[in-house]
Amino acid sequence: MKRCRQPKSVQNETVDVTDIEDIGFSGKEIQEIRASLLQWYDENRRDLPWRRISSTGNEVGIEQRERRAYAVWVSEVMLQQTKVQTVIGYFNRWMEKWPTIHHLAQATIEEVNEMWAGLGYYRRARFLLEGAQMIVESGGEFPNTASSLQMVRGIGNYTAGAIASIAFEEAVPVVDGNVVRVITRLKAISANPKDSKTVKDIWELARKLVDPLRPGDFNQAVMELGATICSPTSPSCSKCPISLQCQALSLSTNQESVKVTDYPTKVRKAKQRHDFSAVSVVEIVEEGSDSKYLLVKRPEEGLLAGLWEFPSVLLEGEAGVTSRRKAIDSFLKQSFGLDMRKSCKVVLREEVGVYVHIFSHIRLKMYIELLTLRMTEGMQEKQEETTTIKWKYVDEKALSTLGLTSGVRKAYTMIQKFKQGSSIPATARNRRDKKSSTKAPSRLR
């Protein structure tokens, strides 16, 4: 880890700064920081549902401790990449449905994804389910140390430290973005916060600060400080309980060229990959019955693993409507035996619009179409050794309750708005023949 009086953005250059192997907190600093932070936390901590469950004293029995650990686990996983106010409702609904790991272990991935819908980063939900199943299958006893918690699928250093310190009072640190910000400002650390050695050193500094008598409260106090006072762009230094120990504040006071917000050093983000896909919302209509939609399950590994979506095909780049439809038609024929000329009749085919879905590392531009079909032959999934695609039909009611990603749900919302805004009544639209596909594309605005 390195330290610099005048930090610069980390790009490709090497900044000549002093090694800080010997930089740490003195005994006096540690005592002052602990006392000030814990007093501030006791007076200012937010009333959050998972804290109510985890705030019982040390005299509780094993069952209550494990319930506390489970609540901390669920809340910490939900809070990754998600704001507190958004998480509260999800947490309450989750705990009402699955109040213990034993209840969660009996859930299906479809139920979990449905509950998680809207939070994003769905792998977190799958790891929660798989972790609960792993604990229950191993005897049902909740691991109570940071090292044993890391043996559970999906639990890393941070989550293990949070559970162990908050639920089981183990004196271990936690380091998230808030903690990194607080510590780098306390010590004016300008080294690249993403560098593996810097990360390791920050963990060590955090370890030295942890209060052995109240480790859970102290860890929450540091995270709370970073979330509410020591913010990334507008820190409220005048309200900070440890401002006297903050070297970044001291530097900024004495040097106009230095700002508290210079720490931690800004790291240039990797350039997002630009992907393009054709999405076909396939609606199956039959006389005397409600419309149904075709959903396809994504592979169990990779992006959005195991989630349901409308049929889609990745494109080589920007593509015209003819190329997109050709790609979709090929996919539907190869995967499901849906031949536009033989096994089904095209009632309606319209370009609905474009939606850009942003992932952390991918910018996905989705071209969305509505493809309404009337079957002339039974739809059969192609049975080949190399084909493992899972699919199902769902009606509108079921579709509205499924755990769909925000991108899939946005596509469905666009389809609904398109239908509502169309001047063609639904009954008449369902009677239209294949000529409908030649109509000029309609687009949402």
Side-chain angles (χ1 to χ4, degrees):
M1 191 186 299
K2 299 187 176 182
R3 179 179 176 185
C4 179
R5 293 299 181 186
Q6 293 184 338
K8 298 180 180 180
S9 295
V10 175
Q11 298 177 4
N12 296 321
E13 71 271 18
T14 301
V15 181
D16 184 17
V17 290
T18 306
D19 288 336
I20 61 163
E21 253 57 7
D22 57 338
I23 288 183
F25 296 100
S26 67
K28 181 181 178 182
E29 279 183 306
I30 290 173
Q31 294 304 317
E32 290 174 346
I33 290 172
R34 286 174 180 172
S36 298
L37 262 182
L38 285 170
Q39 180 180 350
W40 172 83
Y41 181 69
D42 289 339
E43 296 171 355
N44 297 278
R45 63 179 166 187
R46 291 170 291 180
D47 180 25
L48 302 172
W50 45 91
R51 287 179 177 166
R52 297 173 206 147
I53 295 174
S54 63
S55 61
T56 310
N58 293 332
E59 298 78 16
V60 298
I62 185 66
E63 183 176 339
Q64 178 60 24
R65 278 184 176 274
E66 293 192 348
R67 175 170 166 75
R68 182 194 307 176
Y70 173 61
V72 172
W73 184 20
V74 173
S75 66
E76 290 298 338
V77 172
M78 286 185 172
L79 285 165
Q80 295 168 19
Q81 307 293 331
T82 310
K83 294 181 179 180
V84 169
Q85 289 306 312
T86 300
V87 167
I88 291 174
Y90 280 91
F91 176 83
N92 288 334
R93 290 189 293 272
W94 182 286
M95 296 301 290
E96 182 177 353
K97 188 173 181 65
W98 301 301
T100 69
I101 58 168
H102 298 277
H103 291 91
L104 176 59
Q106 297 174 29
T108 65
I109 187 61
E110 284 77 16
E111 290 174 320
V112 168
N113 284 337
E114 180 180 335
M115 182 67 70
W116 199 269
L119 278 177
Y121 299 92
Y122 285 81
R123 188 176 359 179
R124 297 180 296 169
R126 179 159 57 91
F127 281 164
L128 268 174
L129 174 60
E130 292 175 355
Q133 292 171 338
M134 181 178 175
I135 292 173
V136 170
E137 289 169 3
S138 300
E141 183 176 347
F142 211 107
N144 58 12
T145 65
S147 58
S148 61
L149 282 161
Q150 290 183 63
M151 302 298 291
V152 178
R153 180 166 173 77
I155 295 183
N157 290 346
Y158 166 76
T159 306
I163 298 171
S165 64
I166 298 172
F168 300 109
E169 297 295 319
E170 184 181 4
V172 291
V174 297
V175 175
D176 67 351
N178 290 317
V179 176
V180 168
R181 187 162 55 257
V182 170
I183 289 180
T184 56
R185 289 176 179 177
L186 276 172
K187 285 298 174 184
I189 297 168
S190 65
N192 181 352
K194 302 295 184 182
D195 179 78
S196 59
K197 187 179 186 307
T198 307
V199 171
K200 181 180 178 180
D201 289 342
I202 290 175
W203 271 90
E204 186 57 33
L205 290 173
R207 188 182 308 279
K208 293 176 180 178
L209 284 178
V210 176
D211 190 303
L213 299 180
R214 297 177 61 186
D217 284 342
F218 182 83
N219 284 335
Q220 290 181 93
V222 181
M223 292 187 287
E224 187 91 338
L225 185 74
T228 61
I229 300 295
C230 194
S231 65
T233 58
S234 303
S236 301
C237 297
S238 61
K239 299 179 181 179
C240 180
I242 54 175
S243 59
L244 293 178
Q245 290 79 33
C246 183
Q247 293 186 19
L249 178 60
S250 177
L251 286 172
S252 68
T253 302
N254 296 316
Q255 300 181 37
E256 292 184 2
S257 61
V258 178
K259 299 178 182 178
V260 171
T261 53
D262 289 336
Y263 304 92
T265 299
K266 310 300 185 294
V267 179
R268 180 179 292 177
K269 293 183 179 180
K271 188 176 181 180
Q272 280 187 327
R273 191 178 81 214
H274 286 225
D275 285 352
F276 305 86
S277 73
V279 178
S280 185
V281 180
V282 179
E283 178 185 27
I284 307 297
V285 295
E286 296 178 0
E287 294 293 340
S289 62
D290 294 334
S291 298
K292 294 182 179 180
Y293 295 88
L294 174 63
L295 290 182
V296 182
K297 193 172 187 180
R298 292 183 62 86
E300 295 300 330
E301 298 294 333
L303 185 67
L304 304 175
L307 296 177
W308 293 95
E309 65 179 7
F310 297 116
S312 63
V313 178
L314 278 177
L315 305 169
E316 294 296 328
E318 296 276 6
V321 61
T322 302
S323 298
R324 298 198 300 269
R325 289 185 177 184
K326 184 177 180 180
I328 284 291
D329 291 352
S330 177
F331 174 71
L332 294 176
K333 183 177 180 179
Q334 292 179 13
S335 301
F336 314 109
L338 277 176
D339 191 325
M340 302 299 162
R341 297 181 179 180
K342 296 180 180 180
S343 61
C344 56
K345 180 180 180 181
V346 177
V347 178
L348 178 70
R349 191 167 199 173
E350 295 275 2
E351 297 299 306
V352 172
V354 176
Y355 174 64
V356 177
H357 190 47
I358 305 296
F359 298 92
S360 59
H361 59 298
I362 298 173
R363 182 183 187 275
L364 178 63
K365 187 174 184 179
M366 303 187 300
Y367 298 91
I368 301 165
E369 72 165 8
L370 170 63
L371 176 57
T372 303
L373 303 175
R374 180 176 288 111
M375 305 304 299
T376 57
E377 297 178 10
M379 179 176 170
Q380 298 293 328
E381 184 174 8
K382 199 167 186 177
Q383 299 296 327
E384 295 182 358
E385 293 182 1
T386 57
T387 300
T388 57
I389 294 178
K390 295 182 180 179
W391 59 271
K392 63 182 177 181
Y393 286 141
V394 295
D395 57 24
E396 289 189 352
K397 182 178 180 181
L399 193 60
S400 65
T401 61
L402 280 175
L404 303 175
T405 68
S406 57
V408 175
R409 196 163 293 283
K410 177 63 177 180
Y412 179 61
T413 299
M414 291 172 67
I415 292 296
Q416 295 301 98
K417 288 183 177 180
F418 169 78
K419 287 184 172 183
Q420 294 168 5
S422 174
S423 60
I424 306 168
T427 53
R429 185 167 60 244
N430 288 346
R431 289 198 298 267
R432 294 185 65 177
D433 59 21
K434 192 173 180 180
K435 293 181 181 179
S436 300
S437 64
T438 64
K439 183 181 177 181
S442 300
R443 295 188 179 274
L444 292 180
R445 296 179 181 176

